[in-house]
Amino acid sequence: MKYISTRGQAESLDFEGVTLTGLARDGGLYVPEILPKFSADKIRAMRGKSYAEIAFEVIQPFVVGSVSDADLKRMLETTYGNAFRHAAVAPLVQLDTNEWLLELFHGPTLAFKDFALQLLGRFFDHFTAKRDQKLTILGATSGDTGSAAIEGCRGRKNVSIFMLHPKGRVSDVQRKQMTTVLEPNVVNIAVEGTFDDCQALVKACFNDLSFRDEVGLTAVNSINWARVMAQVVYYFTSAVSLGAPDRAVSYSVPTGNFGDIFAGYIAKGMGLPVHTLAIATNSNDILARTLETGSYSSGVTSATLSPSMDIQVSSNFERLLFDLSGRNGEQVRTYMETFQNEKSFTLAPEHLELLRAGFVAGRVDDAMTKAAMRRYQQKSGYIADPHTAVGLDVANRYLPKGAVPVVALSTAHPVKFGTAVEEACGITPTLPDHMADLFEREERFETLPNDIKALQARVLSGGSR
Ligand SMILES: Cc1ncc(COP(=O)(O)O)c(C=O)c1O
Ligand SMILES: N[C@@H](CCOP(=O)(O)O)C(=O)O
């Protein structure tokens, strides 16, 4: 399997190469040159299989040539057999007739990021051991990627991880999950800025090729293809449980950086009968506005009850743009350069038409989020976290209930956003046993201005102090 850059000017790489590279050297994102296609019979044969077994079927064609089948099976069994606290790994919960939630928060850090980052840590070990190579990971987080990446990489021999979060803009549980990991290969940095500033710093470091080569930079954000790939799996497990390939399924996906919903789009491209994909955003609604107006235009990031989606520059949208524009790297470069200079670009009418044919989108503000949390508590006794509530509300308004089952992705455990849950539902969620003492643990993080030179100097000076 070969991977190519969305901007068409970087060398194509195999899976090992893209996993260790992260962002392509032309500033683009890697995508598979050709998407594997599954027949209806192959999808039907997934019925009754375990999560790890289906993960093997889905992931194997993407890693072929870089990871042997035996190694892949072993990594998937240890990841999904041991690290998740629910036997089904990604259980479906029925809320009503044809209305489902896909719970993706049974991993060690209680958010959907664990699905990919538990596996990515194992890929890093596998490839660095083979090459006897050291990696410097630089990541940006609005709260969940950070804790999951740190959990996936803590104590790993060949890896140092520097994780940037926007100072004061993540929940207390999210911050503590990151900053109480005291292994010397982990450095937490609070940046004086927003998540978009953190993500821009990370991309600028990758685009500084001499810095990148000097420190051996790699990525854990969803700019790294392996992240998206691992997230494709739960679309298969859930759709197959609900009758695929003989019945189509629609999904509502709480969206920020567009990685999770892009994984659903990939699943559909591989042959899974996905009826509609709904982009569910909070007030940081760049994607909902793009569908409405055709203009992809970043606004001011506002702090919401669903802080992990407080994102106005939606990184993986570039991967979709590549497809919308007929896999034309030059067109993507033009769009992204315009965005870089003007913070906005307008989609060509034919690209907008394709976008609208593939997706619907809705915006949910904080009042609506709280109302949705209360509604589901009263209707089904279900306590949803605020990100999940955004997905539920959009599912309710934009995905018609009928013969097609509707699945909303439940992306985080309510305890990560206790204050919002208390305000909306009058309930204080309790931390699970494995992190019951989280607030007593020692915390360590550093603070930096939103400045690339300061960040690069800190990375060059090495691990934790
Ligand atoms: C809890 C939660 N829900 C939803 C999202 C949005 O996912 P994506 O960035 O893949 O669109 C995030 C952050 O990525 C998150 O942490
Ligand atoms: N919401 C994310 C933001 C980073 O997204 P990623 O999927 O590109 O890592 C977070 O929780 O950090």
Side-chain angles (χ1 to χ4, degrees), residues 343-362:
K343 302 277 164 265
S344 172
F345 65 81
T346 301
L347 282 169
E350 64 275 22
H351 300 161
L352 180 58
E353 198 180 317
L354 282 174
L355 174 64
R356 286 177 175 157
F359 297 86
V360 295

Side-chain angles (χ1 to χ4, degrees), residues 112-113 144 254-260 308-309 387 411-412:
F112 76 98
K113 310 287 178 165
D144 291 325
T255 295
N257 236 358
F258 204 73
D260 209 5
S308 300
M309 304 196 306
H387 304 78
T411 48

Side-chain angles (χ1 to χ4, degrees), residues 36 248 285 327 354-355 433:
D285 59 348
R327 309 208 110 201
L354 282 174
L355 174 64
D433 288 352

Side-chain angles (χ1 to χ4, degrees), residues 113 140-146 195 221-222 227 257 308 311:
K113 310 287 178 165
T141 186
S142 51
D144 291 325
T145 293
F195 167 77
N221 282 107
S222 54
R227 282 277 316 276
N257 236 358
S308 300
I311 298 175

Side-chain angles (χ1 to χ4, degrees), residues 199-233:
Q199 181 158 254
L201 282 171
V202 169
K203 286 193 174 173
C205 286
F206 273 91
N207 289 329
D208 179 343
L209 298 183
S210 62
F211 174 77
R212 168 186 186 148
D213 292 340
E214 185 178 351
V215 299
L217 214 54
T218 195
V220 279
N221 282 107
S222 54
I223 53 179
N224 192 320
W225 167 258
R227 282 277 316 276
V228 175
M229 175 191 76
Q231 292 172 201
V232 173
V233 176

Side-chain angles (χ1 to χ4, degrees), residues 194 211 221 324 437:
T194 63
F211 174 77
N221 282 107
L324 297 179
D437 65 344

